């Protein structure tokens, strides 16, 4: 069977770049596939081509993917094309799964028993918590355990040692020492974790050439999907396995590498033709998902990254609405706008954000209003995070200023210069002497006059914060009670305090906020109210590989998205981090099929470098041109022109009404649009009528 017959028999329709990728089988090949270019279809089709046109035995082909779910999906896609029986003859595995086979082969070859795999997540968390407590003398929160798990995975996947290992930062931990303790504890228990599977498999392949040779003989063709998400140690293992035959097919896109925190190694793609000098680098640049406007905006945006191949994404779909800027005053206005949009949502709509914390105030409002939504993989680590725990503990201490245990966990975080000895004495004696702890220190000769003064001020703050709205209490704690300074001095992240403040805006007192946090934690764990709801909340990471009719990117502000902004003399590490932020935003942009909106803020301090690139300020020439055209816009246009103008007034756009000022079109039924004005009013307006009399225009 030749290629033409193969395409006809299986009803395959491929563009020229896809055909080239399918037919390039021998030697090292890197296929760079832009979003929406049909990557999985091409990979599956190529496997069929190898099997039926090149007649390569399926047992000689090993296909590796990033996740178990992706491996199963690819096998199912292959079965749909070429039959279940044929699909069962091919191997679709994760790289971890391949490493497990290498270890099992080693056991059979030498009659030895490898360490047992630590599969129980709770057991691993308990071990990490135990080691943390031994080092820090404190109990680890859920978020601390998660941070340590992530750091351990990163270190092993990046193959870090020495200074590079010591450079990893996890709050309250000497990570290099912790890493050594963890490694030792696993060995003593004869255990290995999932990352160790790769460490040990690589060691086996390097130390036992006969085992490496056996795997190289068995598999002659290697396919790797989502190569941009693959780590340094995984690429090293793949290079060894494919070293004899040289038949390595990698599919990925460095522009979509967004898992740096998991040790994704996009340099393997940008350096591919250096590592493999005879390599062919192929491109798939046709986007079959999004409108021309979305593709053009996303492509222009990603071109500003430097560590990438020279490729351009090209649209195959027709025109759609322009990429829109939804300008609101602040984050509270953002949540209000999104709630109104959710209330009337009938079109598949994904609200995307950088991390799970961003969704919490929106989930809170949706839950209060009983508005249905669907949520993808929201974690509840926020509620046990150190910053949240500290702030809520300060509120609890305000409720019970005699609580010595709480005080001892807080006193050094409040900027009052209280020594450990003074703190311990006050915690032990104050209540017995009928004094609050801070009052005891304020009257103690063991404390300096400055500390006495600060303790009196803290007493006043604690009294007042219980009598104000919860968001104001949070603001007081962070900005006036020394906690914000404590965090800044230690390089801490204040974004969780910002989220807590946003949640507090709906609560009349701090006590009520404490109750609401417990309620909200249960709400978050439920993951939404309706599995079929068209209104979806998701991190950009969780949305990767998915697509939605309409996408709204929220919390687009410097410090959140992008998380980092490099300074004038930034180190390479900081520049690399900024490039990953740009890639993350790019992935968010390219999830949209037809309608893409970016929420931006007018409040000072909430500006966004990314938004300024997409929506540059008007030049004076443009403003003069617009000013000249305004009188003509007030003239009454004909009916056909009105109808054409009205088509662009779709939910999500920003507009200005002559009488009511700026607002957002929340929903539309026929000619009637519901507009949420920035003033707080909501009006139903006949769009075509308002356009005809010159009352309405787009911003």
């Amino acid at each position: 069977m030749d290629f033409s017959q193969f395409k006809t028999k299986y009803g395959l329709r491929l563009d020229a770049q896809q055909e080239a990728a399918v037919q390039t089988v021998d030697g090292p090949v890197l296929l760079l596939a832009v979003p929406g270019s049909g990557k999985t279809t091409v990979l599956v089709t190529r496997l069929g081509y190898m099997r039926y046109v090149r007649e390569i035995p399926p047992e000689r082909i090993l296909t590796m993917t990033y996740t178990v779910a992706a491996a199963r999906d690819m096998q199912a896609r292959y079965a749909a094309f070429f039959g279940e029986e044929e699909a069962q003859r091919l191997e679709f595995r994760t790289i971890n799964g391949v490493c497990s086979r290498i270890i099992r082969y080693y056991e059979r070859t030498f009659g030895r028993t490898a360490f047992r795999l630590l599969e129980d997540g709770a057991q691993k968390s308990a071990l990490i918590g135990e080691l943390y407590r031994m080092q820090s003398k404190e109990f680890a929160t859920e978020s601390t355990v998660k941070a340590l798990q992530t750091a351990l995975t990163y270190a092993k996947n990046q193959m870090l040692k020495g200074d590079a290992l010591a450079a990893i930062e996890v709050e309250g931990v000497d990570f290099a020492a912790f890493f050594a303790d963890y490694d030792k504890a696993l060995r003593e228990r004869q255990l290995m974790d999932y990352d160790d599977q790769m460490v040990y498999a690589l060691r086996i392949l390097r130390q036992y050439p006969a085992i490496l040779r056996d795997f190289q003989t068995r598999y002659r063709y290697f396919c790797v999907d989502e190569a941009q998400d693959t780590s340094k140690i995984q690429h090293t293992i793949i290079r060894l396995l494919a070293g004899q035959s040289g038949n390595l097919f990698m599919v990925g896109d460095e522009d979509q590498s967004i898992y740096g925190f998991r040790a994704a190694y996009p340099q393997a793609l940008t350096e591919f033709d250096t590592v493999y000098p005879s390599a062919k680098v192929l491109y798939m640049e046709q986007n079959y998902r999004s409108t021309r406007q979305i593709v053009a905006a996303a492509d222009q945006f990603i071109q500003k990254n430097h560590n990438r191949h020279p490729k351009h994404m090209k649209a195959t779909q027709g025109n759609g609405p322009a990429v829109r800027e939804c300008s609101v005053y602040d984050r509270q206005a953002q949540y209000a706008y999104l709630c109104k949009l959710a209330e009337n949502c009938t079109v598949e709509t994904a609200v995307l954000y950088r991390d799970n914390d961003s969704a919490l105030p929106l989930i809170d409002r949706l839950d209060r209003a009983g508005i249905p939504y669907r949520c993808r993989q929201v974690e509840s680590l926020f509620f046990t995070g150190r910053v949240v725990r500290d702030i809520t503990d300060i509120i609890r201490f305000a409720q019970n200023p005699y609580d010595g245990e709480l005080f001892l966990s807080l006193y050094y975080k409040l900027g009052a210069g209280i020594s450990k000895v003074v703190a311990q004495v006050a915690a032990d004696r104050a209540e017995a002497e009928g004094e609050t702890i801070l009052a005891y220190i304020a009257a103690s000769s063991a404390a300096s006059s400055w500390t006495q003064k600060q303790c009196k001020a803290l007493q006043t703050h604690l009294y007042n914060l219980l009598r104000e709205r919860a968001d104001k209490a949070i603001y007081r704690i962070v900005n006036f009670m020394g906690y914000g300074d404590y965090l800044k001095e230690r390089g801490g992240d204040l974004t969780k305090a910002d989220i807590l403040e946003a949640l507090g805006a709906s609560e009349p007192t701090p006590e009520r906020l404490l109750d609401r946090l417990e309620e909200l934690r249960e709400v978050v764990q439920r993951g939404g109210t309706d599995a079929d709801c068209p209104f979806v909340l998701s991190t950009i990471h969780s949305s990767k590989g998915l697509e939605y009719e309409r996408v709204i990117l929220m919390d687009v502000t410097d410090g959140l998205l992008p998380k980092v902004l490099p300074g004038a003399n930034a180190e390479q590490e900081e520049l690399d981090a900024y490039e990953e932020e740009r890639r993350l935003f790019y992935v968010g942009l390219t999830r949209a099929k037809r309608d893409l909106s970016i929420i931006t803020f007018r409040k000072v301090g909430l500006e966004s470098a990314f938004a300024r690139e997409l929506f540059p300020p008007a030049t004076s020439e443009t403003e003069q041109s617009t000013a000249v055209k305004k009188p003509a816009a007030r003239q009454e246009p004909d009916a056909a022109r009105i109808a054409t103008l009205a088509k662009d007034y779709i939910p999500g756009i920003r507009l200005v009404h002559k009488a009511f000022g700026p607002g957002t079109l929340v929903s539309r039924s026929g000619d009637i649009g519901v507009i949420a004005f920035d003033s707080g009013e909501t009006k139903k307006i006949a769009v075509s009528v308002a356009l005809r009399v010159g009352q309405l225009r787009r911003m």
Side-chain angles (χ1 to χ4, degrees), residues 169 485-494:
E169 295 181 2
D485 293 334
Y486 164 80
L487 278 183
K488 289 172 187 174
E489 287 169 7
R490 287 155 181 78
D493 189 354
L494 278 167

Side-chain angles (χ1 to χ4, degrees), residues 231 258 278 289 309 399 405 478 635:
S231 69
I258 60 175
S278 62
R289 173 188 298 154
H309 287 273
Q399 292 174 308
E405 185 177 347
V478 173
Q635 296 173 3

Side-chain angles (χ1 to χ4, degrees), residues 385-525:
R386 183 173 297 277
V387 172
V388 174
R389 187 184 66 178
D390 284 346
I391 292 174
T392 53
D393 278 352
I394 290 169
I395 294 171
R396 292 187 180 93
F397 184 63
Q399 292 174 308
N400 182 9
Y402 301 93
D403 191 324
E405 185 177 347
L406 266 181
F407 177 71
L408 290 175
S409 71
L410 296 170
Y411 73 92
Y412 55 92
K413 302 175 184 180
L414 298 175
I418 305 170
S419 70
K420 185 175 182 180
V421 172
V422 169
Q424 187 67 62
V425 170
D428 292 340
R429 299 180 182 174
E431 187 172 9
E433 297 190 16
E435 294 274 13
T436 66
I437 293 173
L438 287 173
Y440 183 92
I441 297 174
S444 171
S445 59
S448 69
S449 59
W450 185 82
T451 294
Q452 292 173 350
K453 180 181 176 181
Q454 291 300 105
C455 285
K456 289 176 182 177
L458 286 174
Q459 277 187 285
T460 303
H461 282 306
L462 291 174
Y463 176 84
N464 288 335
L465 73 81
L466 291 178
R467 287 153 181 81
E468 58 193 353
R469 203 172 66 191
D471 57 333
K472 295 185 181 298
I474 305 301
Y475 187 85
R476 178 189 292 270
I477 290 168
V478 173
N479 294 283
F480 301 129
M481 294 179 63
Y483 184 70
D485 293 334
Y486 164 80
L487 278 183
K488 289 172 187 174
E489 287 169 7
R490 287 155 181 78
D493 189 354
L494 278 167
T495 55
K496 281 183 168 55
D498 293 337
I499 295 297
L500 204 55
E501 189 178 336
L503 292 169
S506 300
E507 297 299 345
T509 64
E511 293 99 325
R512 176 54 201 151
L513 175 62
L514 297 181
D515 294 337
R516 181 56 183 166
L517 289 174
E518 292 301 317
E519 297 165 3
L520 191 56
R521 188 173 185 176
E522 294 180 10
V523 169
V524 166
Q525 289 171 344

Side-chain angles (χ1 to χ4, degrees), residues 632-633 635-646 688 691-693:
Q635 296 173 3
E636 184 171 320
D638 58 30
R641 178 168 168 74
I642 284 291
T644 302
L645 286 172
S688 61
L691 288 171
R692 188 167 60 251
V693 299

Side-chain angles (χ1 to χ4, degrees), residues 58-306:
E59 293 78 15
R60 294 288 177 266
I61 304 169
L62 176 60
T63 300
M64 290 173 275
T65 65
Y66 186 57
T67 65
V68 173
R72 289 172 180 162
D73 177 65
M74 195 174 298
Q75 187 167 36
R77 295 277 290 273
Y78 187 89
F81 272 105
F82 306 110
E84 184 64 40
E85 185 176 340
E86 284 296 319
Q88 292 300 322
R89 294 183 64 189
L90 281 168
E91 285 196 48
F92 299 90
R93 295 186 180 275
T94 63
I95 300 174
N96 262 62
V98 172
C99 290
S100 177
R101 294 199 66 189
I102 292 169
I103 293 170
R104 299 287 85 79
Y105 190 86
Y106 163 82
E107 288 180 315
R108 292 195 300 273
T109 302
F110 292 100
R112 299 174 184 170
T113 302
F115 290 164
R116 180 169 56 86
L117 181 63
L118 179 57
E119 297 181 88
D120 187 336
Q123 186 181 355
K124 181 178 179 179
S125 295
L127 175 59
I128 289 173
E130 175 188 334
L131 295 173
Y132 176 85
R133 189 167 65 255
M134 289 171 62
Q135 187 184 106
S136 68
K137 311 305 179 188
E138 294 183 0
F139 286 95
T141 66
E142 186 181 359
S143 58
T144 299
V145 170
K146 178 74 172 180
L148 285 167
Q149 287 176 335
T150 300
L152 290 166
T153 290
Y154 181 86
K156 292 181 182 182
N157 276 269
Q158 284 285 57
M159 305 167 70
L160 300 183
K161 295 179 180 177
D163 292 343
L165 195 63
I168 294 182
E169 295 181 2
V170 178
E171 187 180 2
V173 175
D174 175 349
F175 183 74
F178 184 90
F179 183 91
D181 290 344
Y182 176 74
D183 199 38
K184 179 183 177 184
L186 287 179
R187 289 198 309 272
E188 288 174 347
R189 293 164 171 80
Q190 296 190 324
L191 294 170
M192 61 178 168
D193 62 21
Y194 280 102
D195 300 308
D196 284 329
Q197 284 189 129
M198 294 181 289
V199 174
Y200 291 133
L202 178 58
R203 192 176 298 168
I204 289 166
L205 294 177
R206 283 174 166 171
Q207 291 183 359
Y208 301 97
I211 292 180
L212 173 60
R213 191 163 51 250
D214 286 348
F215 274 85
Q216 290 174 334
T217 301
R218 176 170 182 173
Y219 302 112
R220 305 299 295 169
Y221 295 87
F222 299 86
C223 306
V224 181
D225 190 22
E226 300 288 8
Q228 76 280 344
D229 296 331
T230 306
S231 69
K232 191 172 185 177
I233 193 171
Q234 290 171 336
H235 280 292
T236 304
I237 292 167
I238 291 165
R239 192 183 309 166
L240 281 172
L241 292 174
Q244 188 181 83
S245 70
N247 298 321
L248 173 62
F249 183 67
M250 275 195 174
V251 187
D253 179 11
E254 74 279 2
D255 290 337
Q256 297 183 72
S257 182
I258 60 175
Y259 289 102
F261 62 95
R262 293 183 189 167
Y265 193 66
Q267 294 93 323
L269 277 64
T270 54
E271 299 168 358
F272 189 83
D273 48 358
T274 302
V275 175
Y276 304 96
S278 62
K280 299 181 181 73
V281 179
L282 306 178
Y283 295 89
M284 281 173 27
E285 298 169 292
Q286 302 293 328
N287 178 293
Y288 292 93
R289 173 188 298 154
S290 309
T291 62
R292 293 182 187 278
Q293 287 80 357
I294 293 169
V295 168
D299 183 66
Q300 183 179 3
F301 181 79
I302 199 61
Q303 293 299 321
K304 295 188 179 180
N305 266 2
H306 300 291

Side-chain angles (χ1 to χ4, degrees), residues 620-635:
S620 57
E621 183 179 337
T622 304
E623 290 168 348
Q624 290 170 4
S625 173
T626 303
V628 169
K629 292 177 181 177
K630 276 184 180 177
R634 294 192 190 99
Q635 296 173 3

Side-chain angles (χ1 to χ4, degrees), residues 566-578:
N569 300 309
E571 301 286 338
Q572 187 59 48
E573 184 178 353
E574 192 176 357
L575 294 173
D576 290 343
Y578 187 60

